[in-house]
Amino acid sequence: MNPVNSVLGPRRVTWEMTQVSTIDCLHWRIESKNKPDPDELTTREGKNLIDQLDELGTRRLILAGGDPLERNDLGELIQYAREKNIKLTLQATPSDKLVSKVINDFSREGFFRISLPLDAPYPELHNKFWNKKNVFQDTIELAYEIRENEMPLQINTVITSQSAPLMADLFLKISSLNPVTWKIYFLVPTGGDETFQPPGFHVTRIIFEEIYELEQEVNFEILAVEAPYYNRFWLENKTEELGINLEQYTSTLNPLSVEKVDEFLRKKITFNPKRFRRQPGRESLFINHRGTVYPGRFLPLECGNLRTQSIREIFRDSPVLKQLRNPLELGGCCQKTNCWAREICGGSRGRAYFFSGDHMGTDPLCFYHALKTMRP
């Protein structure tokens, strides 16, 4: 099946509801702002967005910012989405508005989950990352309060060259918070701050080994984000464990499809193919506060705007999104090495775009490419 024509709409959408925030972090593209942009989507436009998602069958909506709690109509929009049976995640920041009463209200309203950022296991580095004193302790206290209210908690962590050596301590800290999901984002630079840099490809491979081992030990989900070559790493290790000859598939099927992986893994283990379908633009979208649609938060290529096009039209017709959904369009090392993992991986398009200006080019963090180019 042609991947360009096989998808009618996104499985999940992140909506940057507002840019207002009392806290900032450039690597999450959040800057402290006191007043809302007068051009941000209105309540009616927000409900229209929810209606469109409902019509497309999109059942996951992530409410992000800025700080979503700064929207005066947040409760109204939450209720509207709940009536449409859309699962909501609040991508929260430890702001003054996220207090006990609000968390308790969210618990009653049936949020799918609340996510909090935790980017280091110790206050000094996390506070530096978020440019705010005491934000580490505030985050820990909020995490415990969310769990006490029996709400699903998700932790988002950005891995940098500074925090990479602290993975073991990060794991211990996050395990103590008992989340349902730990999303590990491999830093995509934004160009606004050079204090933090991505880990090198050698370190990235070591982190992959740690993540793979941790996945076997914990009862919560661990996802590597903006590092989709973990999919290839995971598949190579898992098939070796199961005694499956992966080469018999990769030598004849290029690119190896998610459907084929699902077919041969399901005979051995319980497998969720969604883990291979999380690349921005393929089955997800990011919508900013003005209604501009992007493939993801870290890939700033405009694909359309909700004020002039429907989500269905944008997802179906955007040239950028068509490219991202077709692994054969990938250039750079994916093309040069004729990589069999182009569909299940494809590299970070945001990182490729930042470093080369070509969103279909080489992701410099891919250690598979790096190791090949280093060979004599």
Side-chain angles (χ1 to χ4, degrees):
M1 184 177 292
N2 187 336
V4 175
N5 299 320
S6 63
V7 180
L8 296 177
R11 291 179 181 269
R12 62 190 177 281
V13 167
T14 299
W15 174 21
E16 177 196 60
M17 303 184 77
T18 183
Q19 287 193 319
V20 178
S21 175
T22 58
I23 194 171
D24 62 15
C25 178
L26 291 178
H27 298 300
W28 283 109
R29 297 187 184 274
I30 297 174
E31 299 180 49
S32 57
K33 293 186 178 180
N34 297 323
K35 296 181 180 179
D37 183 338
D39 202 28
E40 72 181 19
L41 293 181
T42 64
T43 305
R44 176 173 294 183
E45 289 173 321
K47 289 183 176 180
N48 181 50
L49 163 61
I50 293 167
D51 285 337
Q52 290 188 57
L53 297 181
D54 183 43
E55 290 170 6
L56 288 170
T58 303
R59 302 262 68 92
R60 289 286 306 278
L61 177 60
I62 297 96
L63 305 178
D67 184 356
L69 292 168
E70 295 287 350
R71 288 270 311 210
N72 293 328
D73 58 357
L74 179 61
E76 183 178 350
L77 291 167
I78 288 171
Q79 181 59 35
Y80 194 76
R82 292 289 298 146
E83 290 171 0
K84 305 288 184 179
N85 293 317
I86 292 177
K87 294 180 178 180
L88 295 173
T89 294
L90 181 73
Q91 199 170 85
T93 58
S95 71
D96 295 337
K97 289 184 177 287
L98 191 59
V99 294
S100 299
K101 181 183 183 304
V102 172
I103 293 173
N104 188 260
D105 289 344
F106 286 160
S107 178
R108 292 199 307 273
E109 287 165 356
F111 257 85
F112 181 60
R113 62 182 56 169
I114 291 182
S115 69
L116 287 174
L118 189 63
D119 299 303
Y122 309 119
E124 295 80 10
L125 187 56
H126 183 77
N127 293 347
K128 183 179 181 181
F129 201 88
W130 283 87
N131 196 31
K132 185 177 181 181
K133 187 178 180 181
N134 297 327
V135 70
F136 176 86
Q137 189 58 38
D138 292 344
T139 300
I140 298 299
E141 290 174 2
L142 283 169
Y144 282 128
E145 191 155 2
I146 290 167
R147 297 301 293 128
E148 286 172 5
N149 277 272
E150 299 184 345
M151 289 197 65
L153 170 68
Q154 175 179 308
I155 297 294
N156 298 331
T157 299
V158 175
I159 294 295
T160 66
S161 57
Q162 290 92 330
S163 61
L166 306 175
M167 277 295 293
D169 291 343
L170 256 171
F171 168 67
L172 291 175
K173 175 58 70 175
I174 285 165
S175 295
S176 72
L177 302 177
N178 193 26
V180 295
T181 298
W182 181 20
K183 280 193 174 184
I184 304 173
Y185 290 76
F186 286 73
L187 177 68
V188 175
T190 62
D193 186 357
E194 297 183 359
T195 304
F196 295 94
Q197 293 296 319
F201 59 84
H202 282 301
V203 175
T204 297
R205 186 181 183 107
I206 292 171
I207 294 173
F208 280 8
E209 291 170 355
E210 292 178 302
I211 293 174
Y212 188 82
E213 290 179 7
L214 292 175
E215 280 196 279
Q216 322 305 314
E217 300 174 9
V218 300
N219 59 359
F220 55 85
E221 180 182 44
I222 303 177
L223 299 173
V225 185
E226 296 297 339
Y229 12 91
Y230 181 70
N231 294 341
R232 174 176 172 174
F233 180 89
W234 182 91
L235 184 61
E236 289 173 338
N237 281 272
K238 186 58 66 176
T239 51
E240 183 178 355
E241 280 182 16
L242 297 172
I244 296 173
N245 181 7
L246 182 59
E247 189 176 354
Q248 70 176 311
Y249 299 104
T250 61
S251 61
T252 58
L253 299 172
N254 191 338
L256 181 64
S257 69
V258 176
E259 289 75 18
K260 191 62 182 179
V261 174
D262 187 28
E263 179 185 317
F264 66 71
L265 279 186
R266 278 188 184 275
K267 297 174 182 178
K268 299 278 189 175
I269 59 171
T270 301
F271 173 69
N272 185 352
K274 288 182 181 179
R275 71 177 298 139
F276 287 171
R277 290 175 170 158
R278 296 181 178 275
Q279 297 92 325
R282 292 193 183 179
E283 295 193 1
S284 62
L285 292 176
F286 179 83
I287 301 172
N288 82 352
H289 64 292
R290 293 183 174 184
T292 303
V293 178
Y294 302 90
R297 181 187 287 271
F298 303 107
L299 183 53
L301 293 176
E302 294 187 14
C303 301
N305 191 285
L306 297 186
R307 286 172 169 153
T308 56
Q309 295 173 277
S310 69
I311 296 177
R312 184 189 298 273
E313 290 170 331
I314 294 170
F315 199 72
R316 181 190 64 202
D317 299 334
S318 163
V320 170
L321 296 177
K322 283 184 177 181
Q323 277 188 312
L324 293 171
R325 285 197 295 271
N326 188 352
L328 298 179
E329 291 275 350
L330 288 166
C333 65
C334 299
Q335 181 186 70
K336 290 175 183 177
T337 61
N338 196 28
C339 181
W340 59 263
R342 280 174 287 180
E343 182 172 331
I344 67 170
C345 171
S348 167
R349 299 299 94 215
R351 192 176 296 108
Y353 181 70
F354 177 83
F355 282 103
S356 71
D358 178 7
H359 65 285
M360 302 300 284
T362 295
D363 175 357
L365 206 60
C366 174
F367 55 78
Y368 290 105
H369 164 67
L371 293 174
K372 280 190 175 183
T373 57
M374 290 172 66
R375 290 173 184 166

